Every structure is written in C-alpha cells, then in structure tokens.
Amino acid sequence: MDAYLSAALLQMLAPAALEVSLAAAAEIEAERGRLETLWSQRLERAAYAADRAARCYRLAEPENRLVVRTLERDWEQALTELERLREDHDRFLAATPPVLSAADRDRIRGLAADIPALWQAATTTNTDRKQLLRAVIDVVTVTVIGDSEQVETEIGWAGGHRTSGQLARPVARLEQLSYYPRLVSRVLELDDAGLTDAQIADHLNSEGLRPPKRFETFGPQAIRDLVNRLRATTGRSGHRTQRPAPPPGQHTWWMPELAAELAMPPVTVYNWIRRGWVTARQDPDTRRWIITADPTELERLRQLRRLPRGYHLRRRWHNDPTPTEPTTHPAEPQL
C-alpha cells in the first residue's frame, strides 16, 4: 500500500498531470469568482434593506407606538438576515479552494520536476513523506474482494478528485488466491510434461502467478511441496511418483508420507513437531523425521486437522476443552 500511494502521488504531481490540475484549478477559481459576485450582490441587498429599515425606524414619531414597534421588528429581522448571510458567506469561503496567484503557479511548476528525486532522497524522512501525503490525500478506501488476495483501492484527493486501482495483498493459503484453480491445473500440467521443480517455478513466475504470504516468486521447494500435496489430495500420479520408502518401524511414518496420509502440507506437520503435538524423532543417519502414529493417533491427528484456523489462539480467551485436540501442548503457554 505504501508503494502504491507513493507511485500515485508522484504520478499526480508529474508535470503533465500538474498542468491538467492547474487548468482545473483555474476553472474552479473562475466559478468561485462568479459565485463571489453573487454573494456580494446578496450581501449588498441585505445591507441596504437593514439600513433602510433603520432609517424608517428613526424617522417614526415616538407617539405612534404601534408603528414604532412594527418598524423596530422589521429592522431586527433585516439585521438578522444580514448576519445570517455573512455567516453563510464565511462558510462558503472556508469550503472553497484558495485562489492561486501567478507566483504560486510558477513555484508549483518548478517543484514538479524535482519531486521524484526529492521523494527518493536519503535526506527525506518517512515523516516528511507522510506530511506530503496528508497534504494532498483526504482519504484512502480499501476493499478486500472476498477472502482472496485482490484488493480494490480508491484515493480521495484534496479538491474532490478520485482515482481507483487494484492491489494484491498477502494471504495465508494458496486456496485463497483468486487464480488457485488455474494454478493447480498449470502445475499438474507442467509436472506431467516432465519439467523439474525449478522449471515449473520459472514458468509460473513468468506467467505472473504469485504464491501467497509475502513471497514474490515461486521457488523449487514450494513447487515440490505443492506437487506432493496435489498428488496426494487428487489421487493423480505423476511421472516422478516413486514407491515410498519403507516405514522405519511399526506404526511409524516419514514426515512426507504422514502429510500425504492426512492430506496436508508437510510444513504443517513440521510445525506440529515443533509444538510437540506429535511424537517424533530424527533418524540419526538421514536426519529425516520419524513420527509414531498408530490408528488411534492417526484419528486424533485427523480431528486436529479439521479444527478451524486460529482455534488454538482463541483458546487463550476461553477454556473449552475439546476431545479432538492434543491432550498436551508443550509448545503452547498454559493459562
């Protein structure tokens, strides 16, 4: 968002855009001049009416009390109307843009060419940039489209002009990406064609597909994990599908095989290992993780997998023991 607003500001302050803005400002000033003439005429008429009412009141005979009271009331009404018009005029002046002098316009044109260099200068602090943004931007409206990475933005500039655009925000899961179905189809297609993980990543990056979170491009490891997960969840076998290594013992699993059994990313299983939610050890020779899980433990892990995202964070605010979650959480703070 910061980069988007900075680019929008520099674009709005570019010399060509600035000339358009100055031309629009000239039109606004001309319109303001016409309105100011109308206000002057209204104020002049109101002042004349108040003066005339005052003269009539002063010329009235004091003995004619009824006439005097009527003229006094008319004078007060004329003064009230004059004061109301003056207040409305002050509000009008405060709400309309100020008039730029010829010298002001020349200074603005001279600064336009220097703003990009000044914006990127090492001597320009973030506080300076924020002050400049606040001077020309009134409001920024951000709307997230569903649960996807797509974000619509609208900038309300000082003076009433509005511009809109689209951004991509970081999301937590691949499934949240608006192009996830196309991504899955493309990955499996390239994998079926015999391309390596690095080649698949290059194809996706060149086609403008991006991973979630804060990564700009796909890497070989991300492609490898994605292909393994898609093969496990879709049941489609690929050219590099190999016979899995034999389990290290009874009711034991290698981490990738357990992830495939639970239809989840291997990185999630690794996070469970770090939190102590599964019983695991590392093979001394290969340093691969070996997880112990009998049928009962597998069912517990499947129930744990089905818990909603953020469930364990919400547990900090209410104690609501659920038989599907692990009985002990060494890595979680106990409240």
Side-chain angles (χ1 to χ4, degrees):
M1 179 60 69
D2 292 342
Y4 172 77
L5 291 178
S6 299
L9 173 67
L10 296 178
Q11 182 179 4
M12 290 296 291
L13 296 180
L18 192 61
E19 288 298 330
V20 175
S21 299
L22 290 175
E27 294 180 3
I28 294 175
E29 291 171 8
E31 178 64 19
R32 175 177 173 170
R34 290 190 291 270
L35 293 176
E36 181 62 28
T37 300
L38 294 177
W39 274 108
S40 298
Q41 293 173 352
R42 293 179 64 185
L43 289 170
E44 183 179 356
R45 286 194 296 269
Y48 175 78
D51 182 67
R52 184 172 182 276
R55 285 187 284 107
C56 291
Y57 172 76
R58 294 190 183 99
L59 293 175
E61 295 293 338
E63 294 79 7
N64 298 328
R65 296 180 180 178
L66 180 60
V67 174
V68 170
R69 284 198 298 269
T70 302
L71 293 175
E72 182 181 15
R73 185 172 57 253
D74 293 343
W75 185 21
E76 290 177 351
Q77 290 177 351
L79 290 175
T80 301
E81 178 65 15
L82 177 60
E83 184 63 24
R84 184 187 66 80
L85 284 176
R86 286 173 176 171
E87 292 176 355
D88 291 345
H89 182 237
D90 291 340
R91 283 192 290 269
F92 163 76
L93 294 178
T96 53
V99 176
L100 295 176
S101 65
D104 292 334
R105 295 173 183 273
D106 293 338
R107 283 196 296 270
I108 291 174
R109 291 189 181 96
L111 288 173
D114 297 333
I115 285 179
L118 181 63
W119 184 267
Q120 302 296 340
T123 55
T124 303
T125 65
N126 287 332
T127 301
D128 297 331
R129 297 185 180 97
K130 290 178 181 178
Q131 289 178 347
L132 183 56
L133 286 170
R134 292 192 184 103
V136 296
I137 294 180
D138 287 337
V139 64
V140 178
T141 305
V142 179
T143 305
V144 178
I145 302 177
D147 194 31
S148 70
E149 85 290 355
Q150 294 182 341
V151 176
E152 292 183 349
T153 63
E154 184 180 67
I155 303 176
W157 301 89
H161 181 60
R162 291 183 174 273
T163 58
S164 59
Q166 285 193 340
L167 296 176
R169 70 183 181 112
V171 292
R173 296 174 288 111
L174 279 168
E175 291 79 3
Q176 291 180 255
L177 297 173
S178 58
Y179 49 83
Y180 178 70
R182 181 163 64 96
L183 174 65
V184 170
S185 175
R186 188 62 173 146
V187 168
L188 293 178
E189 176 187 355
L190 295 174
D191 185 57
D192 290 339
L195 275 65
T196 64
D197 296 325
Q199 291 172 333
I200 295 177
D202 291 340
H203 275 276
L204 297 181
N205 295 332
S206 63
E207 294 171 10
L209 300 177
R210 295 291 180 264
K213 299 184 180 178
R214 297 190 179 276
F215 298 102
E216 294 295 331
T217 57
F218 282 101
Q221 183 61 48
I223 297 299
R224 187 176 305 112
D225 293 341
L226 178 58
V227 170
N228 291 336
R229 187 177 65 168
L230 293 177
R231 296 301 183 191
T233 55
T234 61
R236 289 179 51 179
S237 59
H239 74 282
R240 49 180 161 179
T241 303
Q242 300 176 354
R243 185 178 183 83
Q250 186 178 14
H251 301 316
T252 58
W253 304 75
W254 299 112
M255 186 176 69
E257 279 67 39
L258 179 63
E261 175 68 21
L262 299 175
M264 58 191 295
V267 66
T268 304
V269 179
Y270 178 69
N271 287 333
W272 287 5
I273 294 174
R274 293 181 57 193
R275 297 185 180 189
W277 294 0
V278 294
T279 303
R281 69 182 191 279
Q282 278 187 297
D283 182 75
D285 298 327
T286 63
R287 305 303 295 170
R288 296 178 63 189
W289 284 101
I290 302 172
I291 303 172
T292 302
D294 57 15
T296 302
E297 176 69 3
L298 284 176
E299 181 58 27
R300 183 185 71 84
L301 295 178
R302 290 191 180 95
Q303 294 181 12
L304 178 61
R305 168 66 169 160
R306 288 193 288 268
L307 291 177
R309 295 181 62 84
Y311 173 81
H312 301 289
L313 295 177
R314 293 198 295 271
R315 286 184 63 251
R316 298 180 180 182
W317 299 97
H318 62 84
N319 292 325
D320 141 17
T322 305
T324 57
E325 63 179 325
T327 55
T328 59
H329 304 283
E332 276 196 338
Q334 301 297 319
L335 301 183

